[in-house]
Amino acid sequence: LSAEIGGMGGQARLPLASQGDSVVGPSGAEVAGPAAEAAAVAVKPPGKPRIDCIDGCRFALVLPIVVAHFAQFGTKNRTLLKLLLQENILVGGFFVISGYVAAYTATKVGERAADAKKLARPELFFWQKVMGYYPLHFLVSTIFAPMFIAVERWYQTPMWTTSLRAFLNYTLMQAWFPKEAEIWNQPTWFLSALTFSNLTMPMVLPKVASLSKLGLWKVQCALTSVSVLQKLSYSEAAMCFHSREIATTKPTHPLIWNLTRFHPIWALIETIMGIVAAREVMLDTEEEKKRPRTNPALFFFGAHASLLLRVTNFDYNDALIRGMLFVPLYTRFLTAIHRDCLSEEPSAITKFFSCRTMTWLGSLAFPMFILHGPIGQVFYKKAIAKRLWGGPMPYAFFPVYLALVLLASAVMNEAFVKNKRVQRLAASVAQWLAARTEGMLQDGA
């Protein structure tokens, strides 16, 4: 979780072009990951200026997601919970950022072409992205595996089920299984879906990069239409167009809901939407660059204003709000802030997201995303908290929990994500896997 989530843990001040190589990534993203950090530092691609504001955008997405997953332990106010428990909407922004960064780093500015050098070895391109986020996922999964397994033993879960869940977790395939998508460290379903999107990037990027602006507009309209159609299909099948499906209540059709919010195919659509959006800006002519710009704040606050519908008579379900309002508006926000940060006088919101504090917080987005679930289980999962503390922690502890997540993420980012030995090992593993999957993503004819 650069725009890809795997990238979120890296150096905040690197050029975005370098961050995308290393990956994640909410996206997020999508953060110079371990796999390509050395190469990113050694080679600075010319012609692609910094857009540091993307780091701050990642943090602005991940924080409400972290809060949402355990918000019911922080307040009992029903209205506030309705506003907070909308992580299924916000996560769409990370998939869009993931595609945005992939396009910015692997296609050419001002040309309808992909970067042939970056995509020359498609398998290496894929494995470098995966190894940008997999090491931290592997580490956290292994550290907390005894806790995950113990909980399943307490609930008398069959060993074959526990073994299957371990397999799905470590292979990042859980998002394909609606009953198992939230196993162990629940938020990592995002990595599972993101991995599939990354697998398609060597094929998708050249095709999208070859399009004109008119072609990009047509593709964006088609992708948005398909995304909305799927959300309407879910709403009709579940007989639930309103917010009955939010986390404050049990979904009436949980498997259909899981297929809607977790399935990698729908994540891929949002990722490609990000690619298309980035290409639109990258093809701007000199004349277009001189035109008056729309303030990015308009789209940013517009996207987040859609969350306020939850407390109105227009409280449509998360799927509809995400597909019809939040993702389209957030996509426009990214293109607007991209253009704005390249201008001589960026707007206030662009300066805010580009400031040193926000870029530093953005570098913690990926560790926060990975760590907040297991840490939250320690304090709030009934089976664990009852044995450790006599029960889930009180409401007053919730700010302490958030502080612990931030502190643990900062430590993990410095000690592990940015560790040169870890980065070299991840890069070596990516090379090894690429060599043994040579031809997997190529036409061998």
Side-chain angles (χ1 to χ4, degrees), residues 151-214:
V151 171
E152 298 201 353
R153 301 313 302 148
W154 294 335
Y155 284 105
Q156 299 182 341
T157 303
M159 281 303 300
W160 71 268
T161 301
T162 299
S163 299
L164 172 64
R165 290 173 176 173
F167 173 77
L168 295 176
N169 174 77
Y170 281 106
T171 58
L172 290 177
M173 292 197 298
Q174 62 266 44
W176 293 96
F177 299 83
K179 288 178 63 178
E180 309 295 345
E182 292 188 288
I183 55 171
W184 288 19
N185 188 0
Q186 289 92 335
T188 58
W189 71 265
F190 175 89
L191 298 183
S192 175
L194 179 66
T195 299
F196 173 69
S197 293
N198 285 335
L199 183 67
T200 69
M201 288 301 100
M203 289 79 75
V204 171
L205 286 168
K207 296 295 185 182
V208 177
S210 68
L211 297 175
S212 66
K213 282 207 170 188
L214 177 60

Side-chain angles (χ1 to χ4, degrees), residues 360-420:
W360 176 74
L361 289 171
S363 73
L364 304 184
F366 177 46
M368 287 176 66
F369 192 87
I370 298 297
L371 287 168
H372 80 274
I375 294 175
Q377 291 185 45
V378 170
F379 296 112
Y380 297 118
K381 192 175 184 67
K382 187 175 180 180
I384 301 170
K386 187 175 181 179
R387 287 171 169 81
L388 293 177
W389 327 107
M393 292 302 226
Y395 292 140
F397 183 79
F398 193 69
V400 178
Y401 156 69
L402 294 178
L404 288 174
V405 170
L406 188 64
L407 177 62
S409 299
V411 172
M412 189 65 75
N413 190 47
E414 294 296 326
F416 185 80
V417 176
K418 293 164 63 175
N419 185 283
K420 299 301 181 183

Side-chain angles (χ1 to χ4, degrees), residues 100-121:
Y100 205 98
V101 171
Y104 190 75
T105 58
T107 64
K108 296 183 177 181
V109 176
E111 299 181 43
R112 291 165 55 179
D115 189 327
K117 184 177 180 180
K118 290 183 180 295
L119 298 175
R121 296 182 61 191

